[in-house]
Amino acid sequence: VASEELVNSMLSEWIATPDLARGHYLSNAIAVANTLPVSNVRLLSHQCFRDQGINWATLHDAASGEVIMLFGIENAGDLLHTGESHLMYAELTNGTRLSVHGGMWNFVDSMWGDLLGTLRNDLESVFGSRQSGRLRLCGAGLGGAIAKIVAIKLHCEQDSLVGPEGLTVITFGSVNVVGMADVEVPALSAASPRSRCWQLIGDPLPLLLGPNRQNVVKHFRTRSMTLCGRRRYSVRPGSILHNCVNDATMPAQSWGSLFSIEQVKPMTWKKLSTGE
């Protein structure tokens, strides 16, 4: 399981690489495939929407037999602005209603036809007309939030594409996008028991929605750790943290995740003893 999560993490970081949306990588599937950080996966397709700042790619994992769809976003901090924070209501095929972040929902909805067409073609190229295919949605940061919204929309509109049992979502440090009512977690874990939302303890991004976000940003603006002489969490104009701290307060409500949350501690480096 640990090795599988490492692969998911590496692929989620890979799709968020800005270079994939520039230069000779655009419309060059061979060049993109050559940058894959893991073996035994085959690139099925790669699409970049530069105006929206989003990349997605689909892969076939030979070991698990799954199709993997990855999402990466660049410079999309304004998706969390107050003007985009209204709630949307989504009804699953089993009748469950979820309240989700309107900005994220509309962002996915604006390219849903392209995304769904790509996904349908890639699933058919691997599984044919069978409905028993397995799909894994992955992303880090805002890419993980997009993966969650895609999962909800598949449950709402296209449940027969893979079936609930065939859908898995793995995210890393993603924003919570589900509006909570009475502290009740509207989890989809019953339909997707292998799904997880991994969070690094102390990571501000999953905490940016809700009434305490200004305190969160203020903390990391004044006390953020440095990495190679640079701040680990960027507060430059246009970044997610900058936009959030300079925007009005988000609605005072709780935000949660669709799937169970696993937290891990940051890695600490220790000097190895030479034995001398």
Side-chain angles (χ1 to χ4, degrees), residues 7 36-43 59-66 68:
V7 167
L36 283 166
V38 298
S39 59
N40 293 326
V41 293
R42 176 171 59 91
L43 180 69
L59 313 172
H60 180 223
D61 184 346
S64 68
E66 290 177 298
I68 308 171

Side-chain angles (χ1 to χ4, degrees), residues 86-209:
H86 59 283
L87 292 178
M88 300 283 293
Y89 292 93
E91 185 170 340
L92 307 183
T93 52
N94 64 3
T96 301
R97 293 189 76 205
L98 299 181
S99 54
V100 297
H101 189 279
M104 292 290 180
W105 181 275
N106 289 334
F107 183 71
V108 173
D109 199 54
S110 68
M111 60 194 77
W112 184 243
D114 293 299
L115 192 155
L116 191 61
T118 298
L119 182 56
R120 180 180 289 109
N121 290 338
D122 290 338
L123 287 171
E124 288 181 355
S125 71
V126 174
F127 303 115
S129 59
R130 291 179 291 132
Q131 299 289 326
S132 57
R134 295 174 61 190
L135 173 64
R136 187 193 319 164
L137 304 174
C138 294
L142 287 177
I146 297 303
K148 295 176 188 177
I149 296 295
V150 171
I152 296 173
K153 288 183 72 67
L154 287 174
H155 274 277
C156 290
E157 303 174 18
Q158 300 290 336
D159 185 61
S160 61
L161 249 171
V162 291
E165 298 81 8
L167 181 63
T168 300
V169 182
I170 306 291
T171 67
F172 301 88
S174 64
V175 180
N176 292 327
V177 294
V178 179
M180 313 290 275
D182 301 324
V183 199
E184 181 181 353
V185 181
L188 294 178
S189 56
S192 189
R194 296 175 62 242
S195 295
R196 292 289 184 273
C197 298
W198 291 92
Q199 293 181 2
L200 189 68
I201 294 176
D203 184 357
L205 190 58
L207 307 176
L208 284 180
L209 292 179

Side-chain angles (χ1 to χ4, degrees), residues 24-94:
H24 70 285
Y25 293 108
L26 290 174
S27 303
N28 191 336
I30 296 177
V32 172
N34 287 337
T35 66
L36 283 166
V38 298
S39 59
N40 293 326
V41 293
R42 176 171 59 91
L43 180 69
L44 299 174
S45 63
H46 170 250
Q47 288 187 274
C48 171
F49 287 76
R50 300 189 68 177
D51 291 342
Q52 292 92 338
I54 183 172
N55 285 319
W56 70 65
T58 52
L59 313 172
H60 180 223
D61 184 346
S64 68
E66 290 177 298
V67 167
I68 308 171
M69 194 166 202
L70 309 163
F71 303 92
I73 302 183
E74 182 183 8
N75 298 328
D78 54 353
L79 284 174
L80 302 182
H81 274 197
T82 299
E84 297 289 346
S85 65
H86 59 283
L87 292 178
M88 300 283 293
Y89 292 93
E91 185 170 340
L92 307 183
T93 52
N94 64 3

